[in-house]
Amino acid sequence: ATAASYTVTAKASYNGMQYRCKVTNEGGSVYSDPATLTVTAAKPVITAQPGNQSVTAGAAATFSIAASGTGLSYQWQYSKDGSTWTNKSGATAASYTVTAKTSYNGIQYRCKVTNAGGSVYSASAKLTVVVSVNAPTITSVVANKTSAETGEKITWTATASGGEGALQYYFIIYKDGTKVKTRTYSTTATFSYTPTEPGTYKARVYVKDANDTKTNKLSSGVTVTVGPLTVISVKADKTSTTVGNLITWTVSAAGGEGTLQYCFYVYKDGTAVQHGSYGTAKTFYYAPMEAGTYKVKVYVKDASGTKVNKLSAAVTVS
């Protein structure tokens, strides 16, 4: 390095080194001010992009990349719309394998590769999930009656077959086309509901298999008319509590004429300790100040003056 300039090929180990030049003639030598070399790490370079995958539901799809650089780390991401990306937990290798479900169809995957120089992203690759020929099918959704009265329980049963693994059933109950009750997925193929209002009730059941392949079917209607005044249930929000904590009882009643009214009696160890007057509120709140066993009896009357009553289960207060 004996010229007026000096060129060095930077390495990471050279970062922070200083260079200066000694200039000499017959009069002597002088030194330039030192100059510091800062070496910035190079970003990774992706040399092989992931490819689109098309697999049958339940099969494995593997997305892979290749990258060059030092100190590389990987993070796979997924997106349902191609614009919002979410990190996939645990997917931190150069390849990522996913077991395809039908709900994953169309999801895109990409890999974020990072080192000291920064981060780069692979191209996105799309997962296409082909529905198995053994997809579940629903033969029928049938109620145990075609007509009923308010306060009378109706049970719907779904019959389904096919699919992979155990089938699960999700029920939605409609009254005159409006959703009134749902039950989350369960392996139980039946669901019961007790209507409190007249109307036409139907059940739509969704069936999915172990690969998340889904299908659905709507039942025929059950015509519900007004029945005799009936208290269906009186339920507390807890079975045990401690002194001073609020307990909420809720009543479900059906039938009768006109607007229903409710009167709540509180019993401690079988003795009435409080009661209110009739009103339209279906809930009652009480904070016991002594330990014991508490129950609520609700009296329900309709516009004609017909009355019925029902006692709740016990709540233990300590």
Side-chain angles (χ1 to χ4, degrees):
T2 56
S5 62
Y6 169 62
T7 300
V8 59
T9 300
K11 297 181 180 180
S13 59
Y14 294 175
N15 184 52
M17 281 191 174
Q18 294 184 312
Y19 297 84
R20 71 178 185 181
C21 186
K22 177 182 177 182
V23 183
T24 303
N25 68 4
E26 60 273 14
S29 298
V30 294
Y31 294 87
S32 68
D33 293 332
T36 301
L37 174 63
T38 300
V39 181
T40 303
K43 286 185 176 183
V45 175
I46 295 176
T47 56
Q49 300 286 354
N52 294 331
Q53 300 290 313
S54 179
V55 297
T56 302
T62 299
F63 299 89
S64 299
I65 68 163
S68 62
T70 58
L72 302 181
S73 64
Y74 305 88
Q75 177 60 65
W76 285 90
Q77 302 177 326
Y78 68 93
S79 174
K80 295 181 179 180
D81 57 11
S83 59
T84 301
W85 293 89
T86 303
N87 289 342
K88 185 66 181 178
S89 177
T92 55
S95 64
Y96 169 62
T97 299
V98 57
T99 300
K101 297 181 179 182
T102 54
S103 58
Y104 295 175
N105 185 51
I107 289 180
Q108 298 178 57
Y109 296 87
R110 72 179 186 184
C111 190
K112 176 183 178 182
V113 186
T114 303
N115 70 358
S119 299
V120 294
Y121 295 86
S122 73
S124 62
K126 184 178 180 181
L127 174 63
T128 299
V129 182
V130 181
V131 177
S132 168
V133 294
N134 192 33
T137 58
I138 302 173
T139 306
S140 63
V141 184
V142 180
N144 63 337
K145 56 196 69 177
T146 58
S147 62
E149 294 181 337
T150 53
E152 185 178 352
K153 183 168 69 175
I154 305 170
T155 300
W156 285 268
T157 300
T159 302
S161 60
E164 302 292 337
L167 299 181
Q168 295 191 61
Y169 305 82
Y170 175 82
F171 283 84
I172 303 176
I173 307 302
Y174 295 91
K175 171 188 172 290
D176 300 327
T178 300
K179 181 167 62 177
V180 294
K181 187 71 174 179
T182 63
R183 192 202 71 187
T184 56
Y185 277 105
S186 164
T187 54
T188 302
T190 61
F191 182 62
S192 298
Y193 179 72
T194 302
T196 60
E197 298 179 351
T200 299
Y201 288 78
K202 296 181 180 181
R204 182 177 294 277
V205 63
Y206 289 80
V207 177
K208 70 175 181 179
D209 67 3
N211 294 331
D212 206 36
T213 304
K214 298 176 182 177
T215 186
N216 70 87
K217 190 177 185 67
L218 184 67
S219 73
S220 299
V222 178
T223 302
V224 176
T225 56
V226 176
L229 182 59
T230 304
V231 182
I232 299 169
S233 64
V234 186
K235 295 181 179 179
D237 63 344
K238 51 183 69 71
T239 57
S240 63
T241 187
T242 54
V243 169
N245 284 329
L246 194 68
I247 307 171
T248 302
W249 282 271
T250 302
V251 59
S252 176
E257 297 181 18
T259 301
L260 302 184
Q261 296 190 63
Y262 309 86
C263 180
F264 294 86
Y265 279 67
V266 181
Y267 291 84
K268 173 185 174 291
D269 300 328
T271 301
V273 293
Q274 180 174 314
H275 68 84
S277 56
Y278 278 100
T280 56
K282 298 180 181 180
T283 55
F284 177 73
Y285 308 92
Y286 183 74
M289 301 312 295
E290 295 180 353
T293 299
Y294 287 80
K295 297 181 181 181
V296 159
K297 178 177 284 188
V298 63
Y299 291 83
V300 183
K301 70 176 181 179
D302 66 8
S304 71
T306 301
K307 296 180 182 179
V308 292
N309 68 80
K310 191 176 184 70
L311 187 66
S312 74
V315 177
T316 302
V317 177
S318 57

